[in-house]
Every structure is written in structure tokens, then in C-alpha cells.
Amino acid sequence: MQAQEYIDLESQYGAHNYHPLDVVIDRAEGAWVYDVEGKRYLDCLAAYSAVNQGHCHPKILQTLEEQARKVTLTSRAFRNAQLPMLCKDLHDLTGFDMVLPMNSGTEAVETAIKVARKWGYKIKGVPQDKAEIIVCANNFHGRTVTIVGFSTDDQYRDGFGPFAPGFKVIPYGDAEALRNAITPNTCAFLVEPIQGEAGILIPLEGFLREAAEICQRNRVLLMTDEIQSGLGRTGKLFAYMHEGITPDVLIVGKALAGGYYPVSAVLASSEIMGVITPGDHGSTFGGNPLGCAIARTALRVLIEEKMVERSAELGTYFLSRLRSLRSAAIKEVRGKGLWIGIELHGKARPCCEALKDEGILCKETHDHVIRIGPPLVVTREELDWAFERIAKVMEENR
Ligand SMILES: *Cc1c(COP(=O)(O)O)cnc(C)c1O
């Protein structure tokens, strides 16, 4: 079948909740994907950082095959031999006491909200139904009704109300606003250390450190959503590590299972996670042995193959090359690790289309920003190859 036939089928029978680039991917390996006609592209999105380990990583594939032959799903009505091992691996890697496994990132954020509220009522002593959670403008935490209810993107909300109360929005990166928004009923501050969907927005250095201090002083839980920024993307294992702090609650997903499976998790101390008791919360697939086995290997290869260090080193290199571009189309180039935003004066979509024709896949975010976040297995030579083409497109799309 030709690419256009797939596109027509999807358009006719699939809901139109996305506006994808018209490239129909048939297979992938490492940092490269191949379309149904065999043309190859350098993947500079990495499924929004869900394939940090590279497409179809052979070691993760081996684990998937082995575990899929043994047992895939038990439900949490029974125990399985993989969940405890994943919890221990995550503890060893991060230092957090306890793990609550879920599937999608959105579910993990919902879980963190439930944990924070229950902690607010049972430990902090917030009066019933008065708990407040502070979030930031331009946040992206997922797509459930609760979560889009505190989005500041009109399209994400329009047509989906009424929304859950109990959320307060402050400007991103504004410690003073955080201080002023806190009340005795505030149980948590939910924040992305770098805002990815908003266009790779990096707060001023020291913001997260100050936020951590303010939270600690006021007995407010600092909850970092590292679903996209975590697991090496910014050149550290987690983006909060750039500021030398530790959040109270850590939310992970996406690359946790290397793109093979949806696995997410909420990590916290035993004091905080201890508020969750049997029956409070659950998921049929959360903590399933197939997902847990895959996640364990996905974490192992990330560390063993030094992908976090690669992200730091190649990210610094690529950022400085991109910053050397002297195109009138470019407003700003910013980034951390292999997570780079090229902000344009005009629309980013035509550039993404032009880059696709040059063999590079990236996705615009918020109209004006080209987001570049290749799998962390990308090589310096591949980045040089990409640079030549990005420079050409920037020259032609002024
Ligand atoms: C992708 C993302 C989510 C949602 O994860 P899903 O797996 O798509 O549900 C939440 N927060 C952030 C920061 C994300 O990037």
C-alpha cells in the first residue's frame, strides 16, 4: 500500500485528535525510522522522549520476548515476580522509598494528585475537601478532565468542562508568586522542571531550588513531573538534579519502558506514600510483569550505555552548533541536554514539513517552536548530518 492510502484510511476511520506529519512509519532502529516506501529519517522527537534508549533497543526486545512467553498480566489481585524488582531498581536508582506503578503518564499525574490530597488531609490536617494544589501557567500534565481543568491552553479545555476545583495557577518560574499563592490548605506544588510542550521553557537558574525551600518551609509537597524531562533527556538522570534538590514526589513515565510499553510511576517517601492503603487506588495493568520487566531493562541500558552522559555531552555540542546559526528566521535557540527548542519569529510547522523532506522528523510545539529531542543513542556524526539540513531549511525559510 502507498503512504497516501494509509493516510486516507486513518482519516476516514480514525478520530481526528492529532494533526501528524504525513510520514507513515513502518519500522525503526536506534535514532532512525523508515517509512512505508523505505525512505529513512532521523527521528528528532523520539516519541516525545519515550524512546530515549533508541527505537527497538535489542536488549529491551529480548526482555520483552522472554517475559511475554512467561507471564504478561496477573492484575494486582495476585503478586508477580517483576514488580518488586522494578520497585527496588527505582529505589536504588533514585533514593525514593516507595513506588506506585501506573501505565500512562497522565495516570501517574492523577495518582500524584490523589496522593498529595490524601497526604494533605491525613498528615497535614487540611479540612475536608479544601485541599489546594498549585500549578504553573503553560503546564502540560496530560489529558484527563481533572488535568486539562488546570491547563492554561484554551483548546485543551474548550468543550470539556465542568472541571475539578482545587487548583491554582501561577506564572512559571516565579518563586514570589508561589510564595503568595500558598495558603494553610495548600498540599502540593506540581511543576515541570523544564516545560516541554510549552516550547522547552527553562526557568531561571535557582527557581526550582527556591521553590523547594518555599515548599519545605510551608509543608507543601514539591511534585516534579519528569515524564518528559526525566531519564537522561536534559543531561542528568532527572532535571531536578541540575538544581541539587530532591522533590517530595517524582512522576516518571515515557522512557521508563524505552518505548516498548506504557509504564509510569509515582515515587515518594514512605511517609507520603504511606497514606495510600489497600483499595484506595489501582489499575488493572499497573505493575504488570511484562511492563515491569521491560522497564527494568530500559533503566539498565540507559545507565549501562551511559546515555545520560551522552545526552549532556552531545546536547552541549549540538546546542552550540545550532546557536551559531545566523538565520533571520530564528528568535532564540535554547535547551538542556539533548532537548533543544528553536524558537522562530514565524510558524514552525512549515519548517517541520521542510525538515521532513530533508529526512529529519521533528514536531512543532505551540506554533513557533521546533522541538529537537532525538533518541539519546544518536551519534555526533548524525547530529552533524542533521545540522547541515537544519541550516539549509533555516536559510530557505526566512
Ligand atoms: C507526555 C507527558 C504527560 C502525559 O503522559 P502520557 O503518557 O501521554 O499520558 C504528562 N506530563 C508531561 C510533562 C508529559 O510530557
Side-chain angles (χ1 to χ4, degrees), residues 128-381:
Q128 194 185 338
D129 292 343
K130 298 290 182 209
E132 292 166 7
I133 294 176
I134 299 170
V135 299
C136 293
N138 303 313
N139 68 72
F140 183 83
H141 297 290
R143 297 289 204 161
T144 58
V145 172
T146 302
I147 292 171
V148 297
F150 58 79
S151 170
T152 57
D153 186 313
D154 287 340
Q155 195 197 349
Y156 293 177
R157 296 163 54 88
D158 185 34
F160 301 126
F163 300 115
F167 299 94
K168 236 186 216 180
V169 183
I170 61 165
Y172 186 56
D174 187 339
E176 195 53 38
L178 173 63
R179 205 176 275 118
N180 294 333
I182 290 174
T183 75
N185 295 339
T186 306
C187 58
F189 175 46
L190 172 64
V191 64
E192 299 155 85
I194 291 175
Q195 287 186 329
E197 298 306 302
I200 323 288
L201 297 186
I202 306 170
L204 285 180
E205 208 205 307
F207 164 67
L208 207 60
R209 213 173 309 129
E210 212 179 337
E213 272 171 32
I214 295 167
C215 285
Q216 198 184 17
R217 209 173 308 124
N218 292 281
R219 271 192 104 201
V220 168
L221 302 180
L222 175 64
M223 307 205 292
T224 52
D225 178 347
E226 296 246 19
I227 291 168
Q228 197 166 159
S229 60
L231 300 173
R233 177 51 58 192
T234 70
K236 296 265 191 200
L237 185 60
F238 292 103
Y240 69 76
M241 293 172 170
H242 289 287
E243 298 256 311
I245 60 131
T246 308
D248 300 295
V249 176
L250 173 63
I251 307 166
V252 291
K254 292 200 167 113
L256 181 54
Y260 274 94
Y261 207 86
V263 179
S264 64
V266 177
L267 282 66
S269 67
S270 44
E271 193 222 358
I272 296 165
M273 200 61 93
V275 302
I276 298 293
T277 58
D280 279 356
H281 187 54
S283 160
T284 303
F285 282 85
N288 74 75
L290 182 58
C292 290
I294 291 169
R296 292 180 64 205
T297 303
L299 289 172
R300 188 162 60 81
V301 302
L302 191 81
I303 303 303
E304 274 179 8
E305 297 176 22
K306 302 209 176 317
M307 293 181 194
V308 184
E309 292 84 345
R310 281 181 77 84
S311 175
E313 190 188 318
L314 292 181
T316 304
Y317 170 73
F318 200 43
L319 182 63
S320 75
R321 285 215 76 183
L322 290 172
R323 280 196 168 140
S324 75
L325 284 172
R326 288 285 161 259
S327 165
I330 298 175
K331 189 170 167 197
E332 188 184 37
V333 180
R334 54 181 178 261
K336 229 177 194 139
L338 275 170
W339 211 22
I340 298 172
I342 304 176
E343 184 168 348
L344 306 179
H345 291 289
K347 296 239 181 246
R349 179 82 185 197
C351 284
C352 292
E353 303 274 2
L355 285 167
K356 183 195 84 167
D357 296 337
E358 295 290 334
I360 297 173
L361 295 186
C362 12
K363 181 72 171 68
E364 79 278 4
T365 178
H366 276 249
D367 282 2
H368 298 288
V369 182
I370 304 172
R371 164 179 28 199
I372 298 181
L376 307 182
V377 297
V378 74
T379 64
R380 188 180 289 256
E381 292 68 33

Side-chain angles (χ1 to χ4, degrees), residues 50-124:
V51 284
N52 285 359
Q53 295 88 339
H55 288 278
C56 301
H57 192 293
K59 286 187 178 158
I60 310 176
L61 175 62
Q62 194 187 341
T63 295
L64 181 146
E65 286 177 345
E66 285 171 10
Q67 187 62 42
R69 283 198 190 90
K70 288 173 75 181
V71 59
T72 57
L73 186 60
T74 56
S75 86
R76 299 281 308 271
F78 311 122
R79 297 179 190 271
N80 72 69
Q82 290 297 327
L83 173 61
M85 311 312 281
L86 175 61
C87 293
K88 175 72 161 57
D89 286 355
L90 280 168
H91 162 77
D92 290 347
L93 194 60
T94 65
F96 285 89
D97 296 336
M98 296 181 113
V99 178
L100 200 165
M102 295 297 283
N103 312 283
S104 72
T106 312
E107 286 175 306
V109 173
E110 286 276 348
T111 301
I113 291 168
K114 287 172 86 171
V115 169
R117 283 182 169 179
K118 193 155 186 209
W119 175 88
Y121 297 125
K122 303 292 170 188
I123 308 283
K124 184 168 173 172

